[in-house]
Amino acid sequence: GDSVTQMEGPVTLSEEAFLTINCTYTATGYPSLFWYVQYPGEGLQLLLKATKADDKGSNKGFEATYRKETTSFHLEKGSVQVSDSAVYFCALSAHMDTGRRALTFGSGTRLQVQP
Amino acid sequence: DTEVTQTPKHLVMGMTNKKSLKCEQHMGHRAMYWYKQKAKKPPELMFVYSYEKLSINESVPSRFSPECPNSSLLNLHLHALQPEDSALYLCASSQEAEQNEKLFFGSGTQLSVL
């Protein structure tokens, strides 16, 4: 079945450091890929998405490129801020055998940014 | 209004209690979802409602009973829960169930079962 694998956290960085959170996926067909973010005490929010190979999703300084050849969708940000501290979930959406689409989440990566 | 509102934010209940979680959205979305999230784990899908009808039940025990009174409201009735049911319960919505990629999540109800 479909699955998403993320790097284990926590990832601890100093403010203004470069961020990479790795995400790879396994899926049949042509999934759409997403990054969701969960701030402490809140629900998940969609951060960015890409729906086909070579698409780049971007939002709030974060970027991720859909790489079909490496089945990856790594999240990057050039300069993190303390306010970026949160849990980041990589996810994919693909058609299941039943014909419906379903969202599959990775295990999440906690980011801690220190001032 | 792009919010999904969940109440209560916190709930403590005994194993013999009956309680309900509530979720509301006014974005005109026709699909609503219940997810369960254990600590340091990703959300797990429980139920999907599409046009106020239950379309997906991910083999959830009957002690969890969902209800969709209208297109804006989603309830989760709880009865005879177990301590292992303690978790964050998240409600979400999307325009259509088949367009579930952009989910709008509420902030959740943190449930503790004693």
Side-chain angles (χ1 to χ4, degrees):
Chain A
D2 297 343
S3 66
V4 177
T5 303
Q6 290 182 236
M7 59 189 292
E8 288 193 22
V11 173
T12 303
L13 296 173
S14 298
E15 209 165 20
E16 299 184 3
F18 184 86
L19 168 71
T20 300
I21 299 178
N22 290 338
C23 171
T24 56
Y25 68 90
T26 302
T28 55
Y30 304 96
S32 296
L33 302 174
F34 310 85
W35 279 99
Y36 278 81
V37 58
Q38 186 173 29
Y39 298 102
E42 297 185 12
L44 282 71
Q45 302 173 25
L46 179 63
L47 180 61
L48 54 84
K49 71 174 187 178
T51 57
K52 61 183 187 296
D54 300 325
D55 269 2
K56 177 186 284 188
S58 61
N59 186 25
K60 300 180 181 179
F62 291 89
E63 294 183 342
T65 301
Y66 190 142
R67 301 288 188 198
K68 188 177 180 182
E69 63 277 12
T70 54
T71 62
S72 64
F73 193 55
H74 305 321
L75 182 68
E76 297 181 336
K77 187 175 185 183
S79 176
V80 294
Q81 305 300 313
V82 172
S83 57
D84 294 326
S85 299
V87 180
Y88 292 81
F89 291 94
C90 186
L92 67 81
S93 176
H95 282 289
M96 301 177 69
D97 292 340
T98 54
R100 68 175 174 91
R101 296 185 73 89
L103 203 61
T104 300
F105 288 96
S107 56
T109 301
R110 182 175 299 278
L111 171 65
Q112 298 174 338
V113 181
Q114 298 175 336
Chain B
D1 184 0
T2 58
E3 283 193 357
V4 175
T5 303
Q6 289 188 244
T7 56
K9 290 192 180 299
H10 301 276
L11 179 62
V12 179
M13 60 187 291
M15 290 187 284
T16 58
N17 292 156
K18 287 185 180 180
K19 297 287 184 182
S20 296
L21 309 185
K22 297 185 182 299
C23 175
E24 189 170 3
Q25 56 87 16
H26 296 287
M27 294 177 279
H29 289 173
R30 305 317 300 263
M32 296 186 77
Y33 309 76
W34 280 115
Y35 282 84
K36 174 181 178 180
Q37 186 179 21
K38 301 284 277 185
K40 300 184 179 181
K41 297 291 186 182
E44 296 177 357
L45 182 64
M46 299 175 72
F47 302 105
V48 180
Y49 271 83
S50 178
Y51 288 85
E52 302 163 46
K53 294 184 178 179
L54 182 65
S55 63
I56 296 171
N57 176 342
E58 293 285 0
S59 303
V60 179
S62 60
R63 58 185 183 270
F64 295 91
S65 175
E67 178 197 19
C68 190
N70 60 55
S71 60
S72 298
L73 295 175
L74 184 66
N75 299 322
L76 186 63
H77 303 297
L78 314 173
H79 174 54
L81 295 193
Q82 304 297 311
E84 60 264 28
D85 296 322
S86 299
L88 180 67
Y89 288 84
L90 294 166
C91 175
S93 70
S94 65
Q95 286 192 327
E96 302 280 347
E98 291 304 314
Q99 296 174 4
N100 65 2
E101 295 154 356
K102 187 168 185 178
L103 294 180
F104 290 78
F105 281 86
S107 56
T109 295
Q110 187 67 55
L111 174 67
S112 297
V113 182
L114 304 179

Short mmCIF file of all heavy atoms in Angstrom, two decimals, chain A residues 54-108:
data_model
loop_
_atom_site.label_atom_id
_atom_site.label_comp_id
_atom_site.label_asym_id
_atom_site.label_seq_id
_atom_site.Cartn_x
_atom_site.Cartn_y
_atom_site.Cartn_z
N ASP A 54 7.94 17.22 -10.82
CA ASP A 54 8.71 18.44 -11.06
C ASP A 54 8.00 19.71 -10.59
O ASP A 54 8.58 20.80 -10.69
CB ASP A 54 9.12 18.58 -12.53
CG ASP A 54 9.99 17.42 -12.98
OD1 ASP A 54 10.78 16.92 -12.17
OD2 ASP A 54 9.84 17.00 -14.14
N ASP A 55 6.78 19.59 -10.10
CA ASP A 55 6.12 20.76 -9.52
C ASP A 55 6.85 21.17 -8.25
O ASP A 55 7.33 20.33 -7.50
CB ASP A 55 4.67 20.42 -9.14
CG ASP A 55 3.70 20.72 -10.26
OD1 ASP A 55 4.15 21.15 -11.35
OD2 ASP A 55 2.49 20.52 -10.04
N LYS A 56 6.89 22.46 -7.99
CA LYS A 56 7.44 22.96 -6.73
C LYS A 56 6.32 23.66 -5.97
O LYS A 56 5.69 24.58 -6.49
CB LYS A 56 8.59 23.94 -6.98
CG LYS A 56 9.15 24.56 -5.69
CD LYS A 56 10.21 25.63 -5.99
CE LYS A 56 11.52 25.03 -6.39
NZ LYS A 56 12.59 26.04 -6.50
N GLY A 57 6.10 23.21 -4.75
CA GLY A 57 5.16 23.89 -3.87
C GLY A 57 5.94 24.86 -2.99
O GLY A 57 7.07 24.57 -2.59
N SER A 58 5.34 26.00 -2.69
CA SER A 58 6.02 26.97 -1.83
C SER A 58 5.01 27.79 -1.05
O SER A 58 3.90 28.06 -1.52
CB SER A 58 6.91 27.90 -2.66
OG SER A 58 6.14 28.62 -3.58
N ASN A 59 5.43 28.19 0.16
CA ASN A 59 4.57 28.98 1.03
C ASN A 59 5.38 29.42 2.24
O ASN A 59 6.13 28.60 2.82
CB ASN A 59 3.35 28.17 1.49
CG ASN A 59 2.36 28.99 2.27
OD1 ASN A 59 2.27 30.20 2.12
ND2 ASN A 59 1.57 28.33 3.10
N LYS A 60 5.28 30.66 2.62
CA LYS A 60 5.92 31.20 3.84
C LYS A 60 7.42 30.93 3.86
O LYS A 60 7.99 30.71 4.94
CB LYS A 60 5.28 30.61 5.09
CG LYS A 60 3.79 30.90 5.22
CD LYS A 60 3.23 30.29 6.50
CE LYS A 60 1.75 30.55 6.63
NZ LYS A 60 1.18 29.96 7.86
N GLY A 61 8.07 30.90 2.72
CA GLY A 61 9.51 30.67 2.66
C GLY A 61 9.90 29.20 2.58
O GLY A 61 11.07 28.87 2.38
N PHE A 62 8.93 28.31 2.76
CA PHE A 62 9.17 26.88 2.63
C PHE A 62 8.97 26.45 1.17
O PHE A 62 8.13 26.99 0.47
CB PHE A 62 8.20 26.08 3.51
CG PHE A 62 8.43 26.22 4.97
CD1 PHE A 62 7.81 27.23 5.69
CD2 PHE A 62 9.25 25.33 5.66
CE1 PHE A 62 8.00 27.36 7.05
CE2 PHE A 62 9.46 25.46 7.01
CZ PHE A 62 8.84 26.48 7.72
N GLU A 63 9.77 25.45 0.75
CA GLU A 63 9.65 24.91 -0.61
C GLU A 63 9.82 23.40 -0.57
O GLU A 63 10.51 22.86 0.30
CB GLU A 63 10.75 25.47 -1.52
CG GLU A 63 10.66 26.95 -1.80
CD GLU A 63 11.75 27.39 -2.76
OE1 GLU A 63 12.74 26.65 -2.94
OE2 GLU A 63 11.59 28.48 -3.35
N ALA A 64 9.18 22.73 -1.54
CA ALA A 64 9.39 21.30 -1.73
C ALA A 64 9.13 20.98 -3.19
O ALA A 64 8.17 21.51 -3.78
CB ALA A 64 8.47 20.48 -0.84
N THR A 65 9.98 20.14 -3.79
CA THR A 65 9.85 19.78 -5.20
C THR A 65 9.51 18.31 -5.32
O THR A 65 10.15 17.45 -4.70
CB THR A 65 11.15 20.09 -5.96
OG1 THR A 65 11.44 21.48 -5.83
CG2 THR A 65 11.01 19.74 -7.43
N TYR A 66 8.51 18.01 -6.12
CA TYR A 66 8.03 16.66 -6.38
C TYR A 66 9.03 15.98 -7.30
O TYR A 66 9.12 16.28 -8.48
CB TYR A 66 6.67 16.77 -7.05
CG TYR A 66 5.85 15.51 -7.23
CD1 TYR A 66 4.47 15.58 -7.06
CD2 TYR A 66 6.40 14.29 -7.61
CE1 TYR A 66 3.66 14.47 -7.27
CE2 TYR A 66 5.62 13.19 -7.79
CZ TYR A 66 4.24 13.27 -7.64
OH TYR A 66 3.46 12.16 -7.85
N ARG A 67 9.81 15.02 -6.76
CA ARG A 67 10.82 14.31 -7.53
C ARG A 67 10.36 12.88 -7.75
O ARG A 67 10.47 12.04 -6.86
CB ARG A 67 12.16 14.31 -6.80
CG ARG A 67 12.73 15.69 -6.51
CD ARG A 67 13.23 16.37 -7.74
NE ARG A 67 13.94 17.61 -7.42
CZ ARG A 67 14.19 18.56 -8.31
NH1 ARG A 67 13.75 18.42 -9.56
NH2 ARG A 67 14.85 19.64 -7.96
N LYS A 68 9.88 12.61 -8.96
CA LYS A 68 9.36 11.27 -9.23
C LYS A 68 10.49 10.25 -9.32
O LYS A 68 10.35 9.11 -8.89
CB LYS A 68 8.55 11.28 -10.52
CG LYS A 68 7.81 10.00 -10.81
CD LYS A 68 6.98 10.12 -12.06
CE LYS A 68 6.24 8.81 -12.35
NZ LYS A 68 5.46 8.90 -13.61
N GLU A 69 11.64 10.67 -9.84
CA GLU A 69 12.74 9.73 -10.05
C GLU A 69 13.32 9.21 -8.74
O GLU A 69 13.81 8.09 -8.67
CB GLU A 69 13.83 10.36 -10.92
CG GLU A 69 14.53 11.57 -10.33
CD GLU A 69 13.77 12.87 -10.55
OE1 GLU A 69 12.60 12.85 -10.96
OE2 GLU A 69 14.37 13.93 -10.27
N THR A 70 13.24 10.05 -7.70
CA THR A 70 13.74 9.63 -6.39
C THR A 70 12.59 9.43 -5.39
O THR A 70 12.85 9.16 -4.21
CB THR A 70 14.70 10.68 -5.81
OG1 THR A 70 14.05 11.96 -5.79
CG2 THR A 70 15.97 10.76 -6.64
N THR A 71 11.38 9.51 -5.86
CA THR A 71 10.16 9.41 -5.01
C THR A 71 10.33 10.20 -3.72
O THR A 71 10.16 9.68 -2.60
CB THR A 71 9.78 7.95 -4.71
OG1 THR A 71 10.83 7.30 -3.98
CG2 THR A 71 9.50 7.18 -5.98
N SER A 72 10.67 11.47 -3.89
CA SER A 72 10.93 12.31 -2.71
C SER A 72 10.19 13.63 -2.81
O SER A 72 9.79 14.08 -3.89
CB SER A 72 12.43 12.57 -2.57
OG SER A 72 12.91 13.32 -3.68
N PHE A 73 10.04 14.25 -1.63
CA PHE A 73 9.36 15.56 -1.55
C PHE A 73 9.92 16.26 -0.31
O PHE A 73 9.23 16.53 0.66
CB PHE A 73 7.85 15.35 -1.44
CG PHE A 73 7.02 16.59 -1.64
CD1 PHE A 73 7.15 17.38 -2.78
CD2 PHE A 73 6.06 16.96 -0.69
CE1 PHE A 73 6.36 18.50 -2.98
CE2 PHE A 73 5.26 18.09 -0.88
CZ PHE A 73 5.42 18.85 -2.02
N HIS A 74 11.20 16.57 -0.35
CA HIS A 74 11.91 17.13 0.81
C HIS A 74 11.49 18.58 1.04
O HIS A 74 11.42 19.38 0.09
CB HIS A 74 13.42 17.07 0.61
CG HIS A 74 13.93 15.69 0.31
ND1 HIS A 74 13.44 14.56 0.94
CD2 HIS A 74 14.90 15.27 -0.53
CE1 HIS A 74 14.08 13.50 0.49
NE2 HIS A 74 14.97 13.89 -0.42
N LEU A 75 11.31 18.93 2.31
CA LEU A 75 10.92 20.29 2.69
C LEU A 75 12.17 21.10 3.01
O LEU A 75 13.05 20.62 3.74
CB LEU A 75 10.00 20.25 3.91
CG LEU A 75 9.46 21.59 4.40
CD1 LEU A 75 8.49 22.19 3.38
CD2 LEU A 75 8.77 21.42 5.76
N GLU A 76 12.26 22.32 2.48
CA GLU A 76 13.42 23.19 2.71
C GLU A 76 12.97 24.60 3.05
O GLU A 76 11.93 25.06 2.59
CB GLU A 76 14.32 23.22 1.47
CG GLU A 76 14.94 21.89 1.11
CD GLU A 76 15.85 21.98 -0.10
OE1 GLU A 76 15.67 22.90 -0.91
OE2 GLU A 76 16.72 21.11 -0.24
N LYS A 77 13.82 25.26 3.87
CA LYS A 77 13.64 26.69 4.12
C LYS A 77 15.01 27.28 4.33
O LYS A 77 15.84 26.71 5.06
CB LYS A 77 12.75 26.95 5.33
CG LYS A 77 12.43 28.44 5.50
CD LYS A 77 11.45 28.71 6.63
CE LYS A 77 11.10 30.20 6.64
NZ LYS A 77 10.19 30.57 7.75
N GLY A 78 15.25 28.40 3.73
CA GLY A 78 16.58 28.99 3.75
C GLY A 78 17.00 29.57 5.09
O GLY A 78 18.17 29.54 5.45
N SER A 79 16.03 30.07 5.87
CA SER A 79 16.37 30.75 7.12
C SER A 79 15.19 30.57 8.08
O SER A 79 14.17 31.24 7.94
CB SER A 79 16.64 32.23 6.87
OG SER A 79 16.88 32.92 8.08
N VAL A 80 15.36 29.66 9.05
CA VAL A 80 14.22 29.37 9.94
C VAL A 80 14.13 30.40 11.06
O VAL A 80 15.12 31.04 11.44
CB VAL A 80 14.32 27.95 10.53
CG1 VAL A 80 14.18 26.91 9.44
CG2 VAL A 80 15.63 27.76 11.31
N GLN A 81 12.93 30.53 11.58
CA GLN A 81 12.65 31.43 12.70
C GLN A 81 12.12 30.62 13.88
O GLN A 81 11.63 29.50 13.69
CB GLN A 81 11.62 32.48 12.29
CG GLN A 81 12.01 33.27 11.06
CD GLN A 81 13.31 34.02 11.25
OE1 GLN A 81 13.49 34.69 12.28
NE2 GLN A 81 14.22 33.94 10.28
N VAL A 82 12.19 31.20 15.06
CA VAL A 82 11.67 30.52 16.25
C VAL A 82 10.21 30.14 16.04
O VAL A 82 9.76 29.06 16.46
CB VAL A 82 11.83 31.39 17.50
CG1 VAL A 82 11.13 30.77 18.70
CG2 VAL A 82 13.31 31.61 17.81
N SER A 83 9.47 30.98 15.35
CA SER A 83 8.04 30.74 15.12
C SER A 83 7.77 29.55 14.19
O SER A 83 6.62 29.14 14.05
CB SER A 83 7.38 32.00 14.54
OG SER A 83 8.04 32.37 13.33
N ASP A 84 8.81 29.02 13.57
CA ASP A 84 8.64 27.83 12.71
C ASP A 84 8.66 26.53 13.52
O ASP A 84 8.43 25.45 12.97
CB ASP A 84 9.77 27.76 11.66
CG ASP A 84 9.70 28.89 10.66
OD1 ASP A 84 8.56 29.32 10.32
OD2 ASP A 84 10.77 29.34 10.19
N SER A 85 8.91 26.63 14.82
CA SER A 85 8.93 25.44 15.68
C SER A 85 7.55 24.80 15.66
O SER A 85 6.54 25.43 16.01
CB SER A 85 9.32 25.82 17.10
OG SER A 85 10.63 26.38 17.13
N ALA A 86 7.51 23.55 15.25
CA ALA A 86 6.24 22.85 15.06
C ALA A 86 6.57 21.41 14.65
O ALA A 86 7.73 21.02 14.52
CB ALA A 86 5.39 23.52 13.97
N VAL A 87 5.50 20.64 14.40
CA VAL A 87 5.66 19.30 13.83
C VAL A 87 5.24 19.36 12.38
O VAL A 87 4.16 19.88 12.06
CB VAL A 87 4.84 18.25 14.60
CG1 VAL A 87 5.03 16.87 13.98
CG2 VAL A 87 5.24 18.22 16.07
N TYR A 88 6.06 18.80 11.51
CA TYR A 88 5.80 18.85 10.07
C TYR A 88 5.48 17.44 9.57
O TYR A 88 6.23 16.49 9.83
CB TYR A 88 7.01 19.43 9.34
CG TYR A 88 7.21 20.90 9.65
CD1 TYR A 88 7.83 21.29 10.82
CD2 TYR A 88 6.72 21.87 8.79
CE1 TYR A 88 7.98 22.64 11.13
CE2 TYR A 88 6.87 23.22 9.08
CZ TYR A 88 7.50 23.60 10.26
OH TYR A 88 7.63 24.93 10.57
N PHE A 89 4.35 17.32 8.87
CA PHE A 89 3.90 16.03 8.35
C PHE A 89 3.93 16.06 6.82
O PHE A 89 3.32 16.93 6.19
CB PHE A 89 2.46 15.73 8.79
CG PHE A 89 2.29 15.46 10.25
CD1 PHE A 89 1.95 16.47 11.12
CD2 PHE A 89 2.48 14.17 10.75
CE1 PHE A 89 1.79 16.22 12.48
CE2 PHE A 89 2.33 13.92 12.12
CZ PHE A 89 1.98 14.94 12.97
N CYS A 90 4.61 15.07 6.25
CA CYS A 90 4.55 14.85 4.82
C CYS A 90 3.37 13.92 4.55
O CYS A 90 3.06 13.03 5.36
CB CYS A 90 5.85 14.20 4.35
SG CYS A 90 6.02 14.00 2.58
N ALA A 91 2.67 14.13 3.44
CA ALA A 91 1.48 13.31 3.17
C ALA A 91 1.32 13.13 1.67
O ALA A 91 1.81 13.93 0.87
CB ALA A 91 0.24 13.96 3.77
N LEU A 92 0.62 12.06 1.31
CA LEU A 92 0.28 11.87 -0.09
C LEU A 92 -1.19 11.52 -0.22
O LEU A 92 -1.81 11.00 0.70
CB LEU A 92 1.16 10.80 -0.74
CG LEU A 92 1.03 9.34 -0.30
CD1 LEU A 92 -0.16 8.63 -0.96
CD2 LEU A 92 2.30 8.57 -0.65
N SER A 93 -1.73 11.82 -1.37
CA SER A 93 -3.12 11.51 -1.67
C SER A 93 -3.14 10.75 -2.98
O SER A 93 -2.62 11.24 -3.98
CB SER A 93 -3.95 12.79 -1.78
OG SER A 93 -5.27 12.49 -2.17
N ALA A 94 -3.73 9.58 -2.93
CA ALA A 94 -3.76 8.76 -4.14
C ALA A 94 -5.04 7.96 -4.17
O ALA A 94 -5.69 7.75 -3.14
CB ALA A 94 -2.56 7.81 -4.17
N HIS A 95 -5.41 7.51 -5.36
CA HIS A 95 -6.60 6.68 -5.49
C HIS A 95 -6.35 5.32 -4.88
O HIS A 95 -5.32 4.69 -5.10
CB HIS A 95 -6.98 6.52 -6.96
CG HIS A 95 -7.66 7.72 -7.51
ND1 HIS A 95 -8.95 8.07 -7.16
CD2 HIS A 95 -7.24 8.68 -8.36
CE1 HIS A 95 -9.28 9.17 -7.79
NE2 HIS A 95 -8.28 9.58 -8.53
N MET A 96 -7.31 4.87 -4.09
CA MET A 96 -7.22 3.54 -3.51
C MET A 96 -7.99 2.57 -4.39
O MET A 96 -8.63 2.95 -5.37
CB MET A 96 -7.81 3.56 -2.09
CG MET A 96 -7.10 4.54 -1.18
SD MET A 96 -7.84 4.62 0.45
CE MET A 96 -7.41 3.01 1.08
N ASP A 97 -7.91 1.28 -4.03
CA ASP A 97 -8.61 0.25 -4.81
C ASP A 97 -10.11 0.52 -4.86
O ASP A 97 -10.78 0.14 -5.82
CB ASP A 97 -8.37 -1.13 -4.20
CG ASP A 97 -6.91 -1.55 -4.35
OD1 ASP A 97 -6.23 -0.98 -5.22
OD2 ASP A 97 -6.48 -2.43 -3.61
N THR A 98 -10.62 1.14 -3.82
CA THR A 98 -12.06 1.42 -3.76
C THR A 98 -12.45 2.54 -4.71
O THR A 98 -13.63 2.82 -4.88
CB THR A 98 -12.45 1.83 -2.34
OG1 THR A 98 -11.62 2.93 -1.95
CG2 THR A 98 -12.25 0.67 -1.38
N GLY A 99 -11.46 3.21 -5.28
CA GLY A 99 -11.75 4.31 -6.19
C GLY A 99 -11.70 5.67 -5.52
O GLY A 99 -11.66 6.69 -6.19
N ARG A 100 -11.72 5.69 -4.21
CA ARG A 100 -11.69 7.00 -3.55
C ARG A 100 -10.24 7.40 -3.30
O ARG A 100 -9.34 6.58 -3.30
CB ARG A 100 -12.43 6.94 -2.21
CG ARG A 100 -11.76 6.08 -1.15
CD ARG A 100 -12.49 6.16 0.16
NE ARG A 100 -11.97 5.26 1.16
CZ ARG A 100 -11.01 5.58 2.02
NH1 ARG A 100 -10.48 6.78 1.99
NH2 ARG A 100 -10.58 4.70 2.92
N ARG A 101 -10.05 8.68 -3.10
CA ARG A 101 -8.74 9.17 -2.74
C ARG A 101 -8.63 9.19 -1.22
O ARG A 101 -9.60 9.44 -0.52
CB ARG A 101 -8.53 10.58 -3.30
CG ARG A 101 -8.53 10.64 -4.82
CD ARG A 101 -8.20 12.03 -5.30
NE ARG A 101 -6.81 12.37 -5.12
CZ ARG A 101 -5.86 12.13 -6.02
NH1 ARG A 101 -6.16 11.53 -7.15
NH2 ARG A 101 -4.61 12.49 -5.78
N ALA A 102 -7.45 8.95 -0.73
CA ALA A 102 -7.22 8.97 0.71
C ALA A 102 -5.89 9.66 0.99
O ALA A 102 -4.96 9.60 0.20
CB ALA A 102 -7.20 7.56 1.28
N LEU A 103 -5.84 10.34 2.11
CA LEU A 103 -4.64 11.06 2.53
C LEU A 103 -3.88 10.18 3.49
O LEU A 103 -4.42 9.74 4.50
CB LEU A 103 -5.06 12.37 3.20
CG LEU A 103 -4.07 13.52 3.24
CD1 LEU A 103 -3.69 13.96 1.85
CD2 LEU A 103 -4.66 14.68 4.01
N THR A 104 -2.61 9.90 3.17
CA THR A 104 -1.74 9.10 4.03
C THR A 104 -0.65 10.00 4.59
O THR A 104 0.08 10.64 3.82
CB THR A 104 -1.11 7.95 3.23
OG1 THR A 104 -2.13 7.12 2.72
CG2 THR A 104 -0.19 7.13 4.13
N PHE A 105 -0.52 10.04 5.91
CA PHE A 105 0.47 10.90 6.56
C PHE A 105 1.73 10.12 6.92
O PHE A 105 1.68 8.94 7.26
CB PHE A 105 -0.11 11.48 7.86
CG PHE A 105 -1.17 12.53 7.67
CD1 PHE A 105 -2.51 12.19 7.71
CD2 PHE A 105 -0.83 13.86 7.45
CE1 PHE A 105 -3.49 13.15 7.54
CE2 PHE A 105 -1.80 14.82 7.27
CZ PHE A 105 -3.13 14.47 7.32
N GLY A 106 2.86 10.81 6.89
CA GLY A 106 4.07 10.30 7.50
C GLY A 106 4.00 10.46 9.01
O GLY A 106 3.01 10.98 9.55
N SER A 107 5.03 10.01 9.70
CA SER A 107 5.02 9.98 11.16
C SER A 107 5.27 11.34 11.80
O SER A 107 5.12 11.49 13.00
CB SER A 107 6.05 8.98 11.67
OG SER A 107 7.33 9.31 11.16
N GLY A 108 5.65 12.32 11.00
CA GLY A 108 5.87 13.67 11.53
C GLY A 108 7.31 13.90 11.98
O GLY A 108 7.98 12.98 12.47
#
